[in-house]
DNA sequence: ATTGAGATTTAGACTAACTCTAAATCGTAG
DNA sequence: CTACGATTTAGAGTTAGTCTAAATCTCAAT
């Protein structure tokens, strides 16, 4: 019996990678690499900063986590790997996932306009979140 | 007659700011701050890096240029300041503007799903540009 | 059980893209 | 012409992430 669990495609899920994945999976929000580093260090005290980045790249490539990059500041990581969109609160910075069911049509419409062969679409809504609305 | 032209809202368009704006307006593409710095230096040899950044912030706040930030690397600047969307080529990195006429409805749909009070929507299409399709 | 090749992890140096700071300079109101 | 606030400048600092090379780990073959 191998010590390391493997992903479906046979890659090694080392202790460090498991810790990083665990951190992302147990959080509802969208932590930055640094948030993940700090949380991972609680599980695996010796883990290094570089390893968190290596693991994030690995997990991303394995399709186990999703990276979200808005212009401002650091990348955020998302346990939700299916296609989805994001709403960003202009007051508090909260980032919320949602899905627009018409995404497939949208992609076609965008492809027609831009003349690109479409691969994916992503929609960002900026606005005020329910909490900040009060 | 004042030496410095002013914007509609009365702020000063200094020589440096004019040079930066000129660079952005004469280009069809979406230059990075560094591209702009290099081109601006050809017009105004002494201009500093910091001033290009200051000017970009100023012009952005004055609504004269638009900043586009994709996750990867540097911000790009756009002379088109009306609402619009972007298509990004996954092969060559080319960035193209287009506009989806249904944007207003889209924003409402996204607001319903996310429960946010909407302010703006932006759509990103990833795909292959016409040139790279061949 | 040992060994060795390759994968992985580590610390810390390095980089890119900005941002900040404090001093110098500029432009305009008086 | 002068003074004051706004702007510009050079260069130091910051942030987020990447790179490097040495150490360590894992697995498979002895």
């Amino acid at each position: 019996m191998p010590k390391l669990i493997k992903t479906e495609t046979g890659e090694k899920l080392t202790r460090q990678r498991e810790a990083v994945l665990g951190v992302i999976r147990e959080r509802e929000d969208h932590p930055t690499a640094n948030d993940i580093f700090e949380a991972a260090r609680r599980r695996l005290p010796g883990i290094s900063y570089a390893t968190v980045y290596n693991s994030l790249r690995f997990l991303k490539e394995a399709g186990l986590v999703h990276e979200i990059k808005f212009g401002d500041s650091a990348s955020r990581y998302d346990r939700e790997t299916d296609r989805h969109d994001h709403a960003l609160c202009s007051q508090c910075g909260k980032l919320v996932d949602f899905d627009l069911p018409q995404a497939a049509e949208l992609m076609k419409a965008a492809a027609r306009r831009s003349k690109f062969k479409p691969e994916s679409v992503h929609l960002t809504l900026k606005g005020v979140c329910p909490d900040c609305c009060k």
Side-chain angles (χ1 to χ4, degrees), chain A:
Chain A
M1 175 165 31
K3 268 200 188 158
L4 296 179
I5 299 161
K6 305 217 176 176
T7 63
E8 309 82 73
T9 46
E11 288 125 326
K12 283 172 211 133
L13 239 201
T14 61
R15 231 156 0 100
Q16 289 85 344
R17 290 169 181 175
E18 251 192 294
V20 168
L21 181 57
V23 167
I24 296 170
R25 287 209 166 141
E26 84 187 357
R27 297 180 61 140
E28 308 252 304
D29 61 343
H30 299 83
T32 63
N34 199 64
D35 296 337
I36 295 167
F37 172 53
E38 290 180 357
R41 217 164 26 172
R42 257 172 262 128
R43 297 177 170 229
L44 214 58
I47 197 169
S48 81
Y49 194 73
T51 299
V52 169
Y53 273 100
N54 290 343
S55 299
L56 287 170
R57 180 177 325 118
F58 170 85
L59 293 168
K60 218 166 44 180
E61 278 163 15
L64 295 168
V65 307
H66 184 236
E67 182 178 11
I68 316 156
K69 303 190 185 183
F70 286 106
D72 314 74
S73 71
S75 276
R76 302 176 161 273
Y77 293 86
D78 195 337
R79 59 184 176 177
E80 176 59 62
T81 53
D82 295 340
R83 200 215 77 83
H84 62 283
D85 305 297
H86 290 103
L88 184 59
C89 180
S90 56
Q91 310 275 296
C92 70
K94 183 159 54 204
L95 188 57
V96 169
D97 291 354
F98 69 95
D99 183 51
L100 222 51
Q102 60 266 50
E105 292 161 52
L106 253 182
M107 184 158 85
K108 276 184 220 143
R112 264 196 304 280
R113 291 261 152 194
S114 62
K115 316 272 191 259
F116 273 45
K117 186 158 80 63
E119 288 172 354
S120 65
V121 250
H122 178 243
L123 192 118
T124 308
L125 178 72
K126 288 201 177 131
V128 185
C129 76
D131 291 348
C132 288
C133 267
K134 297 167 224 166

